[in-house]
Amino acid sequence: MQDYKTVESSQTTLTELMIPSYSNFGGKIHGGIILSLMDKVAYVCAAKHSDGYCITASIDVVDFLAPVEVGELVSLMASVNYVGKTSMIIGIKVISENVRTHVVKHTNTSYFTMVAIGEDHKPKQVPGLILKSQDDIRRFSQAKNRRELKATYKRDEASIKDEFNTAECLISLRDERCQIFQ
Ligand SMILES: CC(C)(COP(=O)(O)OP(=O)(O)OC[C@H]1O[C@@H](n2cnc3c(N)ncnc32)[C@H](O)[C@@H]1OP(=O)(O)O)[C@@H](O)C(=O)NCCC(=O)NCCS
């Protein structure tokens, strides 16, 4: 295994035609189809960087920015933004193109944390990342910050759960659109 690898060496683009069977009741492409393609391209990119089997540990926010129509070409561009010891954060940008008008929409951007798994089924170390451009450095640094923020958020979440107080909660829900029966 190489100690360090470039971002380009694992960059992956997946393009897929949106066929009618991918649509939902509203005639637009089902969000789950896009999610599945995102998971696939994240896997390929992570597997190329780590030279092996990977699993999805976490997905950092998927906002659907614009609907995707049947007949459009969806392209998913993935690259390794950050590597930890055994994990890789894969940044994915999704665009959708109308083949007749060539109008291109940006439909999603998301960050998948993939973990490399060794023969022993345990997380295994991945190669470091060679950062060659300003964009490589910016993405690495922003992903590192996001990872640290997430760790803080998880700790806060755990303490919120520990400190849960039903009486205070009921007061905070007074102006919400819910009915409480107990
Ligand atoms: C992901 C998984 C392997 C982590 O196992 P673990 O015993 O917690 O291993 P570790 O604590 O050593 O974590 C391994 C790495 O994953 C990262 N990680 C684990 N859970 C994470 C999460 N929820 N979000 C982001 N990163 C996570 C850790 O930070 C660590 O990164 P690093 O080595 O780069 O510092 C384990 O939770 C798992 O198998 N989950 C199920 C995955 C799955 O079924 N996915 C869907 C199908 S592919």
Side-chain angles (χ1 to χ4, degrees):
M1 184 180 81
Q2 286 171 253
D3 285 346
Y4 286 83
K5 282 175 142 184
T6 61
V7 174
E8 302 95 81
S9 67
S10 56
Q11 255 164 357
T12 305
T13 298
L14 178 69
T15 298
E16 178 128 347
L17 174 66
M18 296 295 106
I19 56 176
S21 62
Y22 291 173
S23 67
N24 58 27
F25 294 113
K28 311 288 181 192
I29 298 304
H30 203 286
I33 298 288
I34 306 291
L35 279 177
S36 166
L37 290 171
M38 290 171 88
D39 196 43
K40 198 187 273 185
V41 78
Y43 179 90
V44 174
C45 181
K48 278 190 200 169
H49 184 78
S50 62
D51 296 313
Y53 178 62
C54 297
I55 54 166
T56 312
S58 164
I59 301 174
D60 234 351
V61 188
V62 181
D63 290 316
F64 293 99
L65 305 174
V68 177
E69 312 286 339
V70 172
E72 290 185 349
L73 282 183
V74 165
S75 294
L76 305 98
M77 291 154 282
S79 58
V80 180
N81 285 3
Y82 173 89
V83 296
K85 186 165 173 262
T86 64
S87 69
M88 295 152 279
I89 297 180
I90 312 295
I92 303 169
K93 182 174 180 182
V94 186
I95 57 167
S96 189
E97 180 180 356
N98 180 310
V99 285
R100 278 181 289 123
T101 62
H102 301 292
V103 170
V104 174
K105 294 176 290 200
H106 173 208
T107 63
N108 304 67
T109 291
S110 184
Y111 304 95
F112 279 51
T113 301
M114 310 296 289
V115 177
I117 300 294
E119 299 286 327
D120 57 0
H121 306 289
K122 294 199 175 107
K124 71 160 192 183
Q125 186 160 327
V126 299
L129 202 57
I130 299 170
L131 308 176
K132 292 206 292 194
S133 67
Q134 286 293 321
D135 274 345
D136 290 351
I137 296 166
R138 176 180 54 79
R139 290 186 185 124
F140 193 94
S141 169
Q142 288 176 341
K144 176 176 176 285
N145 292 343
R146 236 180 271 115
R147 179 176 143 115
E148 286 165 1
L149 264 178
K150 186 173 170 180
T152 313
Y153 171 77
K154 272 175 129 176
R155 275 197 300 276
D156 290 352
E157 257 303 86
S159 66
I160 287 169
K161 277 185 193 140
D162 289 345
E163 290 162 11
F164 184 78
N165 176 315
T166 307
E168 278 175 19
C169 166
L170 288 176
I171 293 168
S172 75
L173 295 184
R174 260 196 319 228
D175 296 330
E176 299 297 329
R177 299 197 62 242
C178 60
Q179 292 182 330
I180 297 165
F181 296 100
Q182 53 173 4

